[in-house]
Amino acid sequence: MKIITKNYEETQQAGELLAKEIKKTPLVVALEGDLGAGKTTFIQGMARGMGIKEQITSPTFVIMKRYGLSDGFFYHLDCYRLNSSKDVLDLGFKEIIRPGNIIVIEWAEKIKDILPENTLWLKFEYLDKDRREIETR
Ligand code: ADP
Ligand code: MG
């Protein structure tokens, strides 16, 4: 599936829609795409769709942030600065893949060797100043 959003709100709405469709957990959502392609914007919408009230910002400097859900946690990871999957494993990555949790990962291609088989992959592309393409693979 492929969609083109025309402003950041549409990208947030796409994330919100996906969040509302999530029926089974744990789920890993892997986001690929360059800086500015809309990954964090999409995740803000997902968080809103899951009822998270806090403001989601990019966790680039801390790698991983955690937000409470009714029966688990919403984890937001950003692997931009990572060189290997081991850094994420050292944070206890394997233990967070458990029922009740949703795990969304920016620059997920950097740690693809440790992601579950059923990971949902989304590819983000910058088309022009306001348009972004989001494609599932
Ligand atoms: P990434 O996390 O992929 O680096 P961000 O979501 O942080 O990207 O940044 C996207 C930037 O592009 C934001 O400043 C946002 O306002 C802007 N933008 C413009 N049009 C769009 C769009 N259609 N979708 C998402 N972001 C957009
Ligand atoms: Mg980002």
Side-chain angles (χ1 to χ4, degrees), residues 33-41 43 57-60 76-78 80 106-107:
D34 289 337
L35 277 177
K39 302 180 298 298
T40 302
T41 303
I43 292 166
T57 54
S58 192
T60 297
H76 180 192
L77 282 76
D78 189 327
Y80 183 59
E106 298 188 46
W107 298 93

Side-chain angles (χ1 to χ4, degrees), residues 88-89 92-98 114:
V88 171
L89 292 175
F93 185 75
K94 286 275 151 75
E95 291 74 54
I96 72 174
I97 313 288
R98 57 193 300 279
I114 61 165

Side-chain angles (χ1 to χ4, degrees), residues 7-137:
N7 52 56
Y8 82 93
E9 283 155 334
E10 285 188 9
T11 298
Q12 283 193 344
Q13 282 161 10
E16 192 169 354
L17 275 177
L18 171 65
K20 297 200 160 138
E21 284 303 311
I22 293 173
K23 301 279 187 290
K24 57 172 195 280
T25 63
L27 178 67
V28 176
V29 183
L31 293 83
E32 295 179 89
D34 289 337
L35 277 177
K39 302 180 298 298
T40 302
T41 303
F42 184 89
I43 292 166
Q44 287 167 345
M46 278 191 74
R48 188 169 68 203
M50 310 219 60
I52 293 166
K53 297 282 181 272
E54 290 129 285
Q55 176 67 33
I56 301 271
T57 54
S58 192
T60 297
F61 295 99
V62 294
I63 300 172
M64 181 160 87
K65 281 189 185 171
R66 191 179 85 163
Y67 305 87
L69 297 174
S70 57
D71 54 358
F73 293 97
F74 180 89
Y75 287 90
H76 180 192
L77 282 76
D78 189 327
C79 298
Y80 183 59
R81 280 163 202 283
L82 295 189
N83 297 314
S84 91
S85 310
K86 186 176 176 299
D87 299 341
V88 171
L89 292 175
D90 289 345
L91 290 171
F93 185 75
K94 286 275 151 75
E95 291 74 54
I96 72 174
I97 313 288
R98 57 193 300 279
N101 292 345
I102 302 288
I103 300 98
V104 296
I105 309 172
E106 298 188 46
W107 298 93
E109 62 271 31
K110 292 198 171 198
I111 60 164
K112 62 171 176 290
D113 55 316
I114 61 165
L115 298 184
E117 192 73 33
N118 63 353
T119 295
L120 174 63
W121 284 89
L122 298 176
K123 194 169 165 90
F124 286 70
E125 204 159 330
Y126 179 106
L127 297 181
D128 58 39
K129 190 173 95 42
D130 291 315
R131 292 188 313 139
R132 303 291 187 273
E133 184 181 278
I134 309 169
E135 193 176 7
T136 55
R137 73 148 144 99

